[in-house]
Amino acid sequence: SEGYTTPLSYPNYTLVWQDEFDGNNLNTADWNFEIGTGNGGWGNNELQYYLEENTSVANGVLTIEAKQQSFGGSSYTSSRLTTENKQAFQYGRIDIRAALPEGQGIWPALWMLGESFATSGWPRCGEIDIMEMVGGTTTADRGDGIVHGTAHWEDDNTGMRAQFGDLNKLPSGSFSDEFHVFSIIWDDQKIEWYRDDIKYHTLDITPSELSEFNQKFFFIFNVAVGGNWPGSPDNTTEFPQKMYVDYVRVFQ
């Protein structure tokens, strides 16, 4: 578990929820497994079939494993976890320490949806992507050493999705080499994105257009394979690929 780490306390903040992934099982009082291929490959033409079996907890770490495995008509399996209806938070500092998978077509994400998702749907519910990575050969905006922080919401004028994001690139190496900490600091004014305490993106949420971000949000952790953004795996992609999460902590 080499790599960057963050403290268990910050001045003027209280730790209100954490999962350190101790023990040998996922705490299903906090987490749900989403199963299957969703609606249209989870809305992105993704190629994986999500299963509970691709998640494990051991040695203080949550592991989500993407495999090249035929299941239910899909060529790949993986896992997708949510805290919907179990843990949701409005504002605060969120730290997630993780080591990422890599390779063409591999798309890990540590993200959040607004609690109103169940009633108003997406993108009206709002989405906060704390970390997304589109693996493979490094270009200007993708690769194993680049992560993205993005917010999505519904444009009040058009009813279409609007988004605003930026990226952060490691000086060298890839996010699979060691652990890094992906964070947001969120209040009623703005959301800021950090990688290892380096701020790389800010969104002003004071306009009424961005009212989506003034509600509680729940977590989603997943590793997708393929889809509109990453494209499909190719002969350079090695399987299995694993995302390791050491902790998630919410401070308010």
Side-chain angles (χ1 to χ4, degrees), residues 94-127:
I94 296 166
D95 292 335
I96 307 174
R97 186 172 192 253
L100 304 183
E102 62 182 2
Q104 169 57 37
I106 303 297
W107 183 10
L110 303 166
W111 54 298
M112 307 181 83
L113 286 177
E115 232 179 10
S116 63
F117 174 68
T119 50
S120 60
W122 183 92
R124 184 73 207 143
C125 62
E127 173 178 331

Side-chain angles (χ1 to χ4, degrees), residues 42-228:
W42 300 96
N44 302 299
N45 295 306
E46 297 163 25
L47 302 177
Q48 77 288 334
Y49 194 108
Y50 285 129
L51 296 170
E52 187 173 331
E53 292 79 357
N54 294 55
T55 292
S56 57
V57 175
N59 305 313
V61 175
L62 164 73
T63 302
I64 295 178
E65 186 173 4
K67 302 178 185 178
Q68 191 165 12
Q69 173 191 13
S70 294
F71 191 94
S74 300
S75 299
Y76 305 93
T77 60
S78 187
S79 283
R80 174 169 161 139
L81 316 178
T82 87
T83 65
E84 188 175 13
N85 301 320
K86 293 178 178 178
Q87 294 289 349
F89 305 94
Q90 181 177 350
Y91 309 141
R93 177 180 176 128
I94 296 166
D95 292 335
I96 307 174
R97 186 172 192 253
L100 304 183
E102 62 182 2
Q104 169 57 37
I106 303 297
W107 183 10
L110 303 166
W111 54 298
M112 307 181 83
L113 286 177
E115 232 179 10
S116 63
F117 174 68
T119 50
S120 60
W122 183 92
R124 184 73 207 143
C125 62
E127 173 178 331
I128 303 171
D129 301 324
I130 300 172
M131 183 291 303
E132 290 183 283
M133 190 202 79
V134 177
T137 304
T138 301
T139 65
D141 65 349
R142 61 170 63 203
D144 298 323
I146 294 175
V147 290
H148 296 256
T150 313
H152 304 262
W153 63 95
E154 185 173 284
D155 185 302
D156 289 342
N157 296 317
T158 66
M160 303 292 281
R161 173 177 62 100
Q163 69 176 70
F164 184 58
D166 206 344
L167 56 82
N168 176 265
K169 185 174 183 179
L170 287 176
S172 65
S174 83
F175 281 99
S176 64
D177 296 338
E178 60 183 16
F179 281 84
H180 293 274
V181 180
F182 308 101
S183 306
I184 58 168
I185 298 179
W186 169 31
D187 59 25
D188 61 1
Q189 304 291 305
K190 63 187 182 297
I191 307 172
E192 300 174 328
W193 282 256
Y194 296 80
R195 187 270 299 167
D196 298 339
D197 288 315
I198 299 164
K199 182 168 73 173
Y200 68 93
H201 184 44
T202 304
L203 173 67
D204 175 0
I205 62 169
T206 57
S208 60
E209 167 79 13
L210 288 102
S211 61
E212 285 91 332
F213 301 104
N214 299 312
Q215 65 173 315
K216 289 183 176 182
F217 276 62
F218 62 87
F219 289 102
I220 306 178
F221 292 1
N222 68 288
V223 179
V225 180
N228 300 338

Side-chain angles (χ1 to χ4, degrees), residues 1 5 18-26 56-64 96-99 179 221 243-249:
S1 65
T5 192
Q18 68 194 122
D19 197 332
E20 304 290 323
F21 301 110
D22 295 325
N24 297 305
N25 293 290
L26 191 68
S56 57
V57 175
N59 305 313
V61 175
L62 164 73
T63 302
I64 295 178
I96 307 174
R97 186 172 192 253
F179 281 84
F221 292 1
M243 176 166 71
Y244 304 98
V245 183
D246 182 25
Y247 56 73
V248 50
R249 297 170 182 163

